[in-house]
Short mmCIF file of all heavy atoms in Angstrom, two decimals:
data_model
loop_
_atom_site.label_atom_id
_atom_site.label_comp_id
_atom_site.label_asym_id
_atom_site.label_seq_id
_atom_site.Cartn_x
_atom_site.Cartn_y
_atom_site.Cartn_z
N GLU F 1 -20.66 14.23 18.78
CA GLU F 1 -21.24 13.04 19.40
C GLU F 1 -20.19 12.28 20.21
O GLU F 1 -20.46 11.82 21.33
CB GLU F 1 -21.81 12.11 18.33
CG GLU F 1 -23.07 12.62 17.67
CD GLU F 1 -23.53 11.67 16.58
OE1 GLU F 1 -22.81 11.50 15.59
OE2 GLU F 1 -24.62 11.09 16.73
N LEU F 2 -19.00 12.15 19.65
CA LEU F 2 -17.95 11.44 20.37
C LEU F 2 -17.60 12.17 21.66
O LEU F 2 -17.36 11.55 22.70
CB LEU F 2 -16.73 11.30 19.47
CG LEU F 2 -16.89 10.40 18.24
CD1 LEU F 2 -15.67 10.51 17.34
CD2 LEU F 2 -17.13 8.96 18.64
N GLY F 3 -17.56 13.49 21.60
CA GLY F 3 -17.24 14.26 22.79
C GLY F 3 -18.27 14.07 23.89
O GLY F 3 -17.94 14.03 25.08
N GLU F 4 -19.53 13.92 23.52
CA GLU F 4 -20.59 13.73 24.51
C GLU F 4 -20.42 12.43 25.29
O GLU F 4 -20.82 12.33 26.44
CB GLU F 4 -21.96 13.75 23.82
CG GLU F 4 -22.37 15.13 23.32
CD GLU F 4 -23.66 15.09 22.53
OE1 GLU F 4 -24.24 13.97 22.41
OE2 GLU F 4 -24.09 16.13 22.05
N ILE F 5 -19.83 11.41 24.67
CA ILE F 5 -19.64 10.14 25.37
C ILE F 5 -18.22 9.99 25.92
O ILE F 5 -17.86 8.95 26.43
CB ILE F 5 -19.97 8.94 24.45
CG1 ILE F 5 -19.05 8.91 23.23
CG2 ILE F 5 -21.43 8.97 24.03
CD1 ILE F 5 -19.23 7.69 22.35
N GLY F 6 -17.42 11.06 25.79
CA GLY F 6 -16.09 11.03 26.38
C GLY F 6 -15.02 10.40 25.52
O GLY F 6 -13.99 9.97 26.02
N LEU F 7 -15.23 10.34 24.21
CA LEU F 7 -14.26 9.73 23.30
C LEU F 7 -13.62 10.81 22.43
O LEU F 7 -14.31 11.42 21.60
CB LEU F 7 -14.94 8.67 22.42
CG LEU F 7 -14.04 7.98 21.39
CD1 LEU F 7 -13.00 7.13 22.10
CD2 LEU F 7 -14.87 7.11 20.46
N PRO F 8 -12.33 11.10 22.59
CA PRO F 8 -11.67 12.06 21.69
C PRO F 8 -11.69 11.54 20.26
O PRO F 8 -11.86 10.34 20.02
CB PRO F 8 -10.23 12.11 22.23
CG PRO F 8 -10.31 11.54 23.62
CD PRO F 8 -11.42 10.54 23.59
N PRO F 9 -11.53 12.42 19.27
CA PRO F 9 -11.46 11.95 17.88
C PRO F 9 -10.45 10.82 17.76
O PRO F 9 -9.30 10.96 18.21
CB PRO F 9 -11.02 13.20 17.11
CG PRO F 9 -11.53 14.33 17.94
CD PRO F 9 -11.40 13.88 19.37
N PRO F 10 -10.82 9.68 17.20
CA PRO F 10 -9.97 8.47 17.25
C PRO F 10 -8.89 8.45 16.17
O PRO F 10 -8.88 7.57 15.31
CB PRO F 10 -10.99 7.35 17.07
CG PRO F 10 -12.05 7.95 16.20
CD PRO F 10 -12.15 9.40 16.62
N PHE F 11 -7.96 9.39 16.25
CA PHE F 11 -6.87 9.41 15.28
C PHE F 11 -6.05 8.12 15.34
O PHE F 11 -5.44 7.70 14.34
CB PHE F 11 -5.95 10.61 15.54
CG PHE F 11 -6.64 11.93 15.39
CD1 PHE F 11 -6.75 12.80 16.45
CD2 PHE F 11 -7.19 12.31 14.18
CE1 PHE F 11 -7.39 14.03 16.32
CE2 PHE F 11 -7.83 13.52 14.02
CZ PHE F 11 -7.94 14.39 15.10
N TRP F 12 -6.01 7.48 16.51
CA TRP F 12 -5.26 6.25 16.70
C TRP F 12 -5.85 5.07 15.95
O TRP F 12 -5.21 4.03 15.83
CB TRP F 12 -5.23 5.90 18.20
CG TRP F 12 -6.59 5.94 18.82
CD1 TRP F 12 -7.17 6.99 19.47
CD2 TRP F 12 -7.56 4.89 18.82
NE1 TRP F 12 -8.44 6.65 19.87
CE2 TRP F 12 -8.71 5.38 19.49
CE3 TRP F 12 -7.57 3.58 18.32
CZ2 TRP F 12 -9.85 4.59 19.65
CZ3 TRP F 12 -8.71 2.81 18.48
CH2 TRP F 12 -9.83 3.32 19.15
N ALA F 13 -7.07 5.21 15.44
CA ALA F 13 -7.78 4.08 14.83
C ALA F 13 -7.54 3.96 13.34
O ALA F 13 -8.13 3.09 12.69
CB ALA F 13 -9.28 4.21 15.09
N PHE F 14 -6.65 4.79 12.79
CA PHE F 14 -6.40 4.78 11.36
C PHE F 14 -4.91 4.80 11.08
O PHE F 14 -4.14 5.41 11.83
CB PHE F 14 -7.06 6.00 10.70
CG PHE F 14 -8.54 6.09 10.95
CD1 PHE F 14 -9.04 6.87 11.97
CD2 PHE F 14 -9.43 5.36 10.18
CE1 PHE F 14 -10.40 6.94 12.23
CE2 PHE F 14 -10.79 5.41 10.42
CZ PHE F 14 -11.28 6.21 11.45
N ALA F 15 -4.52 4.15 10.00
CA ALA F 15 -3.13 4.19 9.55
C ALA F 15 -3.01 5.32 8.54
O ALA F 15 -3.23 5.14 7.34
CB ALA F 15 -2.72 2.85 8.93
N TRP F 16 -2.67 6.51 9.02
CA TRP F 16 -2.62 7.71 8.19
C TRP F 16 -1.47 7.62 7.19
O TRP F 16 -0.48 6.92 7.42
CB TRP F 16 -2.49 8.95 9.06
CG TRP F 16 -3.66 9.10 9.99
CD1 TRP F 16 -3.75 8.62 11.26
CD2 TRP F 16 -4.90 9.75 9.71
NE1 TRP F 16 -4.99 8.94 11.80
CE2 TRP F 16 -5.71 9.63 10.87
CE3 TRP F 16 -5.40 10.43 8.60
CZ2 TRP F 16 -6.99 10.16 10.94
CZ3 TRP F 16 -6.68 10.97 8.67
CH2 TRP F 16 -7.46 10.82 9.83
N ALA F 17 -1.61 8.36 6.10
CA ALA F 17 -0.65 8.24 5.00
C ALA F 17 0.78 8.56 5.43
O ALA F 17 1.72 7.85 5.06
CB ALA F 17 -1.08 9.15 3.85
N GLY F 18 0.96 9.65 6.20
CA GLY F 18 2.30 10.02 6.62
C GLY F 18 2.95 8.96 7.48
O GLY F 18 4.15 8.67 7.36
N GLY F 19 2.17 8.38 8.38
CA GLY F 19 2.69 7.32 9.23
C GLY F 19 3.04 6.06 8.44
O GLY F 19 4.07 5.42 8.70
N GLN F 20 2.20 5.70 7.48
CA GLN F 20 2.52 4.54 6.65
C GLN F 20 3.81 4.74 5.88
O GLN F 20 4.66 3.83 5.82
CB GLN F 20 1.37 4.26 5.67
CG GLN F 20 0.12 3.68 6.29
CD GLN F 20 -0.78 3.05 5.24
OE1 GLN F 20 -0.38 2.14 4.51
NE2 GLN F 20 -2.00 3.54 5.16
N ALA F 21 3.98 5.91 5.27
CA ALA F 21 5.19 6.18 4.51
C ALA F 21 6.42 6.14 5.40
O ALA F 21 7.46 5.56 5.04
CB ALA F 21 5.08 7.53 3.80
N LEU F 22 6.32 6.75 6.57
CA LEU F 22 7.46 6.80 7.48
C LEU F 22 7.80 5.40 8.00
O LEU F 22 8.98 5.02 8.08
CB LEU F 22 7.14 7.74 8.64
CG LEU F 22 8.28 8.18 9.55
CD1 LEU F 22 9.47 8.71 8.75
CD2 LEU F 22 7.78 9.24 10.53
N ALA F 23 6.79 4.61 8.32
CA ALA F 23 7.02 3.23 8.77
C ALA F 23 7.68 2.41 7.66
O ALA F 23 8.61 1.62 7.91
CB ALA F 23 5.71 2.59 9.20
N ARG F 24 7.20 2.58 6.43
CA ARG F 24 7.79 1.86 5.30
C ARG F 24 9.27 2.24 5.11
O ARG F 24 10.12 1.39 4.87
CB ARG F 24 7.01 2.19 4.02
CG ARG F 24 7.47 1.50 2.74
CD ARG F 24 7.08 0.04 2.74
NE ARG F 24 8.12 -0.83 3.30
CZ ARG F 24 7.86 -2.00 3.87
NH1 ARG F 24 6.62 -2.46 3.97
NH2 ARG F 24 8.83 -2.72 4.36
N TYR F 25 9.55 3.53 5.23
CA TYR F 25 10.93 4.00 5.08
C TYR F 25 11.83 3.39 6.15
O TYR F 25 12.94 2.92 5.87
CB TYR F 25 10.99 5.52 5.15
CG TYR F 25 12.37 6.08 4.94
CD1 TYR F 25 12.87 6.27 3.66
CD2 TYR F 25 13.19 6.38 6.03
CE1 TYR F 25 14.15 6.76 3.47
CE2 TYR F 25 14.48 6.86 5.84
CZ TYR F 25 14.95 7.05 4.55
OH TYR F 25 16.23 7.51 4.37
N ILE F 26 11.35 3.37 7.39
CA ILE F 26 12.15 2.82 8.49
C ILE F 26 12.42 1.33 8.28
O ILE F 26 13.54 0.85 8.48
CB ILE F 26 11.43 3.07 9.84
CG1 ILE F 26 11.35 4.56 10.14
CG2 ILE F 26 12.12 2.31 10.97
CD1 ILE F 26 12.68 5.25 10.23
N LEU F 27 11.40 0.59 7.87
CA LEU F 27 11.59 -0.84 7.67
C LEU F 27 12.52 -1.13 6.50
O LEU F 27 13.28 -2.10 6.53
CB LEU F 27 10.23 -1.52 7.44
CG LEU F 27 9.33 -1.60 8.68
CD1 LEU F 27 7.93 -2.06 8.28
CD2 LEU F 27 9.93 -2.53 9.72
N ASP F 28 12.48 -0.29 5.47
CA ASP F 28 13.36 -0.48 4.32
C ASP F 28 14.77 0.05 4.54
O ASP F 28 15.69 -0.31 3.81
CB ASP F 28 12.75 0.20 3.08
CG ASP F 28 11.51 -0.51 2.57
OD1 ASP F 28 11.27 -1.67 2.98
OD2 ASP F 28 10.76 0.10 1.78
N HIS F 29 14.92 0.92 5.55
CA HIS F 29 16.22 1.51 5.88
C HIS F 29 16.46 1.37 7.38
O HIS F 29 16.52 2.37 8.12
CB HIS F 29 16.27 2.98 5.45
CG HIS F 29 15.99 3.18 3.99
ND1 HIS F 29 16.97 3.08 3.03
CD2 HIS F 29 14.83 3.45 3.33
CE1 HIS F 29 16.43 3.29 1.83
NE2 HIS F 29 15.14 3.51 1.99
N PRO F 30 16.60 0.15 7.88
CA PRO F 30 16.69 -0.07 9.32
C PRO F 30 17.88 0.61 9.97
O PRO F 30 17.86 0.89 11.18
CB PRO F 30 16.78 -1.60 9.44
CG PRO F 30 17.27 -2.06 8.11
CD PRO F 30 16.69 -1.11 7.12
N GLU F 31 18.90 0.92 9.18
CA GLU F 31 20.06 1.63 9.74
C GLU F 31 19.68 3.00 10.29
O GLU F 31 20.41 3.59 11.09
CB GLU F 31 21.16 1.77 8.69
CG GLU F 31 20.85 2.70 7.51
CD GLU F 31 19.98 2.08 6.43
OE1 GLU F 31 19.59 0.91 6.57
OE2 GLU F 31 19.68 2.78 5.44
N THR F 32 18.54 3.52 9.88
CA THR F 32 18.05 4.81 10.38
C THR F 32 17.84 4.78 11.89
O THR F 32 18.06 5.79 12.58
CB THR F 32 16.72 5.17 9.68
OG1 THR F 32 16.92 5.15 8.26
CG2 THR F 32 16.24 6.55 10.08
N VAL F 33 17.42 3.63 12.41
CA VAL F 33 17.08 3.55 13.84
C VAL F 33 17.84 2.46 14.59
O VAL F 33 17.78 2.42 15.83
CB VAL F 33 15.56 3.31 14.02
CG1 VAL F 33 14.75 4.45 13.44
CG2 VAL F 33 15.14 1.98 13.40
N ARG F 34 18.52 1.58 13.90
CA ARG F 34 19.12 0.42 14.56
C ARG F 34 20.06 0.83 15.69
O ARG F 34 20.97 1.64 15.50
CB ARG F 34 19.88 -0.44 13.54
CG ARG F 34 20.40 -1.75 14.14
CD ARG F 34 21.24 -2.52 13.14
NE ARG F 34 20.42 -2.99 12.02
CZ ARG F 34 20.67 -2.70 10.75
NH1 ARG F 34 21.71 -1.95 10.44
NH2 ARG F 34 19.88 -3.18 9.80
N GLY F 35 19.81 0.30 16.88
CA GLY F 35 20.65 0.58 18.04
C GLY F 35 20.47 1.96 18.63
O GLY F 35 21.23 2.34 19.54
N ARG F 36 19.48 2.71 18.16
CA ARG F 36 19.32 4.10 18.59
C ARG F 36 18.10 4.27 19.51
O ARG F 36 17.18 3.45 19.52
CB ARG F 36 19.20 5.01 17.37
CG ARG F 36 20.40 4.94 16.44
CD ARG F 36 20.26 5.88 15.27
NE ARG F 36 21.33 5.68 14.29
CZ ARG F 36 22.54 6.22 14.38
NH1 ARG F 36 22.82 7.01 15.42
NH2 ARG F 36 23.44 5.99 13.47
N ARG F 37 18.12 5.38 20.25
CA ARG F 37 17.00 5.76 21.11
C ARG F 37 16.04 6.60 20.29
O ARG F 37 16.42 7.63 19.75
CB ARG F 37 17.51 6.54 22.31
CG ARG F 37 18.52 5.76 23.17
CD ARG F 37 19.31 6.67 24.08
NE ARG F 37 20.17 7.58 23.31
CZ ARG F 37 20.97 8.50 23.85
NH1 ARG F 37 21.03 8.62 25.18
NH2 ARG F 37 21.70 9.28 23.09
N VAL F 38 14.78 6.14 20.19
CA VAL F 38 13.84 6.68 19.22
C VAL F 38 12.61 7.24 19.91
O VAL F 38 12.08 6.65 20.85
CB VAL F 38 13.43 5.60 18.20
CG1 VAL F 38 12.37 6.11 17.24
CG2 VAL F 38 14.66 5.10 17.43
N LEU F 39 12.12 8.38 19.40
CA LEU F 39 10.82 8.93 19.78
C LEU F 39 9.89 8.85 18.58
O LEU F 39 10.22 9.33 17.50
CB LEU F 39 10.95 10.39 20.22
CG LEU F 39 9.61 11.13 20.42
CD1 LEU F 39 8.84 10.56 21.60
CD2 LEU F 39 9.84 12.64 20.60
N ASP F 40 8.71 8.25 18.78
CA ASP F 40 7.62 8.34 17.82
C ASP F 40 6.66 9.38 18.37
O ASP F 40 5.92 9.13 19.32
CB ASP F 40 6.95 6.97 17.68
CG ASP F 40 5.72 7.00 16.77
OD1 ASP F 40 5.50 8.01 16.08
OD2 ASP F 40 4.97 5.99 16.76
N PHE F 41 6.68 10.59 17.79
CA PHE F 41 5.90 11.71 18.30
C PHE F 41 4.49 11.69 17.72
O PHE F 41 4.30 11.43 16.53
CB PHE F 41 6.58 13.04 17.93
CG PHE F 41 5.75 14.23 18.25
CD1 PHE F 41 5.51 14.60 19.56
CD2 PHE F 41 5.16 14.98 17.23
CE1 PHE F 41 4.72 15.70 19.86
CE2 PHE F 41 4.37 16.08 17.52
CZ PHE F 41 4.15 16.44 18.84
N ALA F 42 3.48 12.01 18.57
CA ALA F 42 2.07 11.95 18.16
C ALA F 42 1.79 10.59 17.56
O ALA F 42 1.33 10.45 16.43
CB ALA F 42 1.73 13.08 17.19
#
């Protein structure tokens, strides 16, 4: 149904478990990214 109206599956509309865990880790360990050039893939 979503494809018929031109809407790809809305993966962006949910906070998936892997992303939540990774975000939590980064916030609790800011030295992981501080001052660095970062890619958030997918």
Side-chain angles (χ1 to χ4, degrees):
E1 288 177 296
L2 293 172
E4 289 175 1
I5 61 174
L7 179 66
F11 298 118
W12 50 266
F14 303 96
W16 299 91
Q20 287 197 58
L22 193 50
R24 181 74 269 154
Y25 183 84
I26 294 301
L27 289 170
D28 290 345
H29 303 275
E31 68 280 359
T32 305
V33 299
R34 186 184 293 124
R36 301 182 187 277
R37 301 163 295 180
V38 176
L39 171 67
D40 176 12
F41 172 70

